[in-house]
Amino acid sequence: MEKADKIMNVDYIAHVKKVSDNTWAAPHSLAEHLQMTAMKTGVFASKFQSGQWGEAAGLAHDAGKARAHWQRYLRLKSGYFDDEAHMEGKPGKIPHAIYGAKLVEKLYGKGIGRILSYCIAGHHAGLPDWSGAEGAGRSSLEFQLAQIGDLDSIGHSVTHGISSSKAPAPPWRFASGLDMSLWIRMLYSCLVDADFLDTESYMEQDKSAYRGSYCSIEELLDRLNGYYSQLERTSENTPVNRIRTSIRKKCTEMAQEAQGIFSLSVPTGGGKTLSSLAFALHHARKHGLDRIIYVVPYTSIIEQNADVFRNALGREQVVEHHSSLDEEDSTPQSRLATENWDAPIIVTTSVQFFESLFAARSSRCRKLHNITNSVVILDEAQLVPVEYLSPILETMQLLVEHYHVSFVISTATQPAFGERVAGGKVFKGLKQMREIIGDCDTTRELYNSLRRVNIELPNNLQTSSSWEEIAEALRQYDQVLCIVSDRKSCRELHALMPEGTFHLSALMCGQHRSEVIARIKEKLAYKEPVRVISTQLVEAGVDLDFPVVYRALAGLDSIAQAAGRCNREGKLAEYGRAVIFVAPRKAPMGILRKAAETTVNIMASIEQQDLIGYDVFHEYFSELYWKANSLDSKGIISLLTPDRQNCGISFRTAAEKFRIVDDSHQKPILVRYGEGDHLIDLLKHTGPSRGLMRKLQRYVVNVYDRDFNLMLQRCSIEEVQPEIYALTSDIEYSPVTGLMVEETFFEPHQLII
């Protein structure tokens, strides 16, 4: 009998905890923990026909704790028990996960065993790379497995239990590319969540009690229908509102279709947010799905859309997940749901959603299995980053084919995501997309019926206007919005405008922007004079309604979105005016510059009145994707395609490279605006806490390294905590334009968090 079986005459122990300074709770049995984790993992994985694989991973994940060395360490580390001994990666902690990984390879062979070993080896430290070829070195699975010799030290009772639960063949035949790596990551997600939940039930029973207790999809649908009834009674009977009602009814009808990929092509102001929710809830009821995940591109609109859903469904049913969330704006239940997305309605950002799909860390992957059996709405889908388009679309297709996910591609400017051959290149896009609104003629008719604005082009697309000329034109209007392509241009133009003109850019912290947008909406509602100079942060989903909008020449999708802020409600006696001008500074290099150039080509080939018509966007996006240097610029698909010899996959390297927001040349600064002043002082004197840091996210501005270093040299910022910098005073933060720095260009995706 293995010595560990007899240590102190108790079963193997998985976890321990103190209930007071001198009192310990009864230990958490390893056998019970393995069995419960296996059961939970199996239930989660059964959603994608992999229940037995989940059970096997759960039984083996902590097998390394059934060694005399580890059990002795658990007791001796603290004199009795160490309540953190189960966590790896901390100084002085003895590893256990790699022993379970080695064991499953020994018991199941290199095929089944290698798949499980990725999950087990990384269930605390994150999914590893197979080899050190990509720089993983000692953290690679290959290296770690080679360091483990004799496995006889693992208790026989644990080994026997694992060997009796052999996993079957995989649930489907894997295609080349991302198929197998996504399946492994899904299994990993099931294991990590199950391990967390079972450990939580022992370590934090009060926290565990908060989970669940949400409404069913049927109950949410009843709430939504009640909300619609009230909305129809109180809304004006305008042509726009009648069209919105017809769109919603079409969404309800199409929700009865089989699962798959749908497009929702509706012009801005057509009520896509609530209509897409109606489709999702009816579709979920039809197919027995668990949740709706609403994905938006910018944090500047996530609160707005989440509030729409809360008004319709109830505050406690909707969970926001993004880094700017204020701790006081969420309940204990919703904070738990952001860990694993077990709420019925999740509103999140494209960064959270897509980076999680390619993540390696346990905290980021934990929620992935709850994407199965769901409806995912991609709002403003044209903003999916082009440089990662190939791995994103391939993953979306796999989620549809194997994980019971339906996607809704929702936007006024529908991107060309369908598979096709263009310009001699094969575009491996999404298969069999169905338009919710109907065929091309029906959708074209909808766009024509919702046309509320005329697009006015400059006489010469090669000749720019000066900021002085643009400012003079804007002064002629009491209510006007002007959108430019970078923060520096925004500040330069704003400086030429009359006092009282509003400024909006990412040099203003999130709290500042929200307050300014609220004041703008109030002035518009009361028909007061209001002029606004903004970057493109207002284009995607911010519900503003101006009679006149000026837009610097940009991508056609940006022009259409800008036009959507003009005469949005259709209340003008005549059409609104959307004036396009050539700015003195070109759009930033890269995909934004190519988008503007593509727009010029499109303008030369079509009539002016068709510039934002339904048919033009497919042509525009097809040309733009063809011009892109790469639709997989970081080689993500290659990194995540297993090699035949070792099933070698570079999970960790791919996760590091898949960064929608490349912050490698930026640094965050906490600014002293409003409550931020008090919060920074609190951080400085009491140190960071989870709640405090989440509050401070509303008071962050990202600056380029050059500006950061200049501010540091002149003592404008200080290190208030290790690696956390803040303004020393509010002198360099304007209540009108935000952080006062000189910079070159601003890429719009830096707004996404």
Side-chain angles (χ1 to χ4, degrees), residues 459-642:
N459 294 326
N460 189 332
L461 292 172
Q462 307 304 320
T463 303
S464 64
S465 300
S466 67
W467 290 134
E468 286 78 9
E469 290 171 328
I470 299 302
E472 179 59 32
L474 297 175
R475 289 193 196 99
Q476 310 308 310
Y477 304 99
D478 289 334
Q479 291 188 335
V480 64
L481 167 66
C482 181
I483 304 173
V484 296
S485 296
D486 63 271
R487 310 194 280 204
K488 186 172 184 178
S489 296
C490 186
R491 185 161 286 179
E492 289 176 352
L493 178 57
H494 181 269
L496 299 171
M497 295 296 293
E499 185 177 351
T501 300
F502 288 101
H503 170 281
L504 282 169
S505 84
L507 285 175
M508 302 156 67
C509 66
Q511 183 64 30
H512 191 178
R513 294 198 305 265
S514 295
E515 291 174 5
V516 169
I517 289 172
R519 292 203 297 272
I520 293 169
K521 288 183 176 181
E522 184 178 10
K523 284 183 172 294
L524 287 170
Y526 287 101
K527 304 187 184 308
E528 297 176 6
V530 54
R531 301 183 182 95
V532 180
I533 311 298
S534 177
T535 61
Q536 49 270 73
L537 68 87
V538 299
E539 285 181 348
V542 178
D543 294 338
L544 299 176
D545 187 2
F546 281 85
V548 180
V549 172
Y550 273 61
R551 181 55 168 103
L553 181 66
L556 190 59
D557 54 325
S558 292
I559 289 174
Q561 293 292 339
R565 312 310 121 193
C566 181
N567 195 22
R568 185 178 183 85
E569 298 297 324
K571 294 182 178 180
L572 297 179
E574 299 179 351
Y575 279 15
R577 296 182 61 208
V579 181
I580 311 305
F581 64 93
V582 181
R585 181 178 295 111
K586 290 185 177 180
M589 291 293 291
I591 196 65
L592 292 182
R593 182 73 60 84
K594 290 178 179 178
E597 293 169 352
T598 302
T599 299
V600 172
N601 293 341
I602 295 291
M603 286 177 174
S605 63
I606 65 173
E607 295 182 9
Q608 177 175 330
Q609 63 266 28
D610 295 325
L611 187 60
I612 58 173
Y614 167 69
D615 298 291
V616 75
F617 295 112
H618 188 276
E619 178 184 351
Y620 165 76
F621 281 109
S622 295
E623 182 176 337
L624 180 62
Y625 297 159
W626 183 80
K627 284 181 176 179
N629 293 333
S630 174
L631 302 180
D632 184 12
S633 62
K634 301 298 176 65
I636 302 299
I637 294 177
S638 176
L639 289 167
L640 293 176
T641 300

Side-chain angles (χ1 to χ4, degrees), residues 88-326:
E88 293 191 36
K90 295 186 177 182
K93 305 303 178 188
I94 295 178
H96 65 272
I98 192 61
Y99 286 88
K102 182 80 170 183
L103 180 62
V104 292
E105 292 212 359
K106 177 183 177 181
L107 295 175
Y108 299 158
K110 194 169 70 172
I112 292 174
R114 179 62 45 78
I115 290 168
L116 293 174
S117 69
Y118 276 115
C119 301
I120 294 167
H123 76 270
H124 288 308
L127 281 167
D129 287 353
W130 163 247
S131 75
E134 294 288 344
R138 299 173 67 88
S139 66
S140 70
L141 183 58
E142 182 182 34
F143 178 86
Q144 292 182 68
L145 290 173
Q147 307 311 302
I148 306 300
D150 182 17
L151 291 174
D152 293 338
S153 61
I154 296 178
H156 171 73
S157 59
V158 172
T159 304
H160 177 73
I162 297 168
S163 61
S164 65
S165 180
K166 190 172 183 179
W172 58 80
R173 184 179 179 85
F174 296 115
S176 61
L178 301 177
D179 197 357
M180 178 180 280
S181 61
L182 178 61
W183 181 63
I184 293 174
R185 192 182 283 103
M186 281 293 189
L187 283 173
Y188 174 70
S189 170
C190 295
L191 174 62
V192 168
D193 196 24
D195 184 31
F196 267 108
L197 290 172
D198 189 62
T199 303
E200 177 188 276
S201 68
Y202 170 77
M203 302 291 291
E204 302 176 84
Q205 292 181 359
D206 291 342
K207 180 178 179 181
S208 181
Y210 278 114
R211 295 192 178 278
S213 302
Y214 293 107
C215 289
S216 66
I217 293 295
E218 187 72 37
E219 290 169 328
L220 292 175
L221 196 50
D222 287 342
R223 290 188 179 192
L224 182 63
N225 289 334
Y227 178 78
Y228 280 142
S229 297
Q230 180 183 5
L231 198 64
E232 289 175 357
R233 287 194 301 269
T234 58
S235 298
E236 295 181 52
N237 185 24
T238 64
V240 170
N241 282 335
R242 289 195 293 272
I243 292 172
R244 288 171 179 167
T245 299
S246 68
I247 291 170
R248 187 169 69 247
K249 289 180 178 177
K250 187 65 178 176
C251 285
T252 301
E253 294 169 4
M254 282 294 291
Q256 305 307 307
E257 293 277 318
Q259 281 196 262
I261 301 172
F262 299 84
S263 57
L264 179 58
S265 304
V266 174
T268 54
K272 291 190 300 295
T273 301
L274 280 174
S275 292
S276 62
L277 178 61
F279 172 91
L281 284 174
H282 281 278
H283 195 65
R285 181 177 66 176
K286 170 71 175 178
H287 298 288
L289 305 180
D290 299 327
R291 65 188 45 82
I292 286 81
I293 302 172
Y294 193 86
V295 183
V296 299
Y298 298 143
T299 55
S300 58
I301 61 173
I302 192 170
E303 295 99 338
Q304 170 185 284
N305 289 343
D307 284 342
V308 171
F309 292 161
R310 288 193 185 98
N311 289 336
L313 305 177
R315 180 176 184 272
E316 71 284 356
Q317 303 301 319
V318 181
V319 168
E320 293 179 49
H321 189 191
H322 60 99
S323 60
S324 294
L325 185 65
D326 190 321

Side-chain angles (χ1 to χ4, degrees), residues 682-723:
L682 193 61
L683 173 67
K684 187 175 181 180
H685 295 108
T686 66
S689 67
R690 183 173 183 268
L692 178 59
M693 295 310 295
R694 288 172 77 88
K695 288 181 182 180
L696 280 165
Q697 283 288 345
R698 298 288 291 163
Y699 301 93
V700 171
V701 172
N702 289 315
V703 298
Y704 293 108
D705 288 347
R706 180 183 68 88
D707 297 310
F708 179 89
N709 292 330
L710 287 173
M711 296 181 76
L712 196 59
Q713 290 172 16
R714 63 176 183 258
C715 298
S716 298
I717 55 177
E718 60 178 336
E719 191 174 21
V720 292
Q721 291 291 333
E723 300 300 318

Side-chain angles (χ1 to χ4, degrees), residues 387-406:
E387 61 269 33
Y388 297 111
L389 194 58
S390 287
I392 284 175
L393 295 184
E394 183 173 332
T395 300
M396 288 171 60
Q397 189 66 49
L398 289 169
L399 288 172
V400 171
E401 292 175 357
H402 300 309
Y403 301 93
H404 308 291
V405 175
S406 288

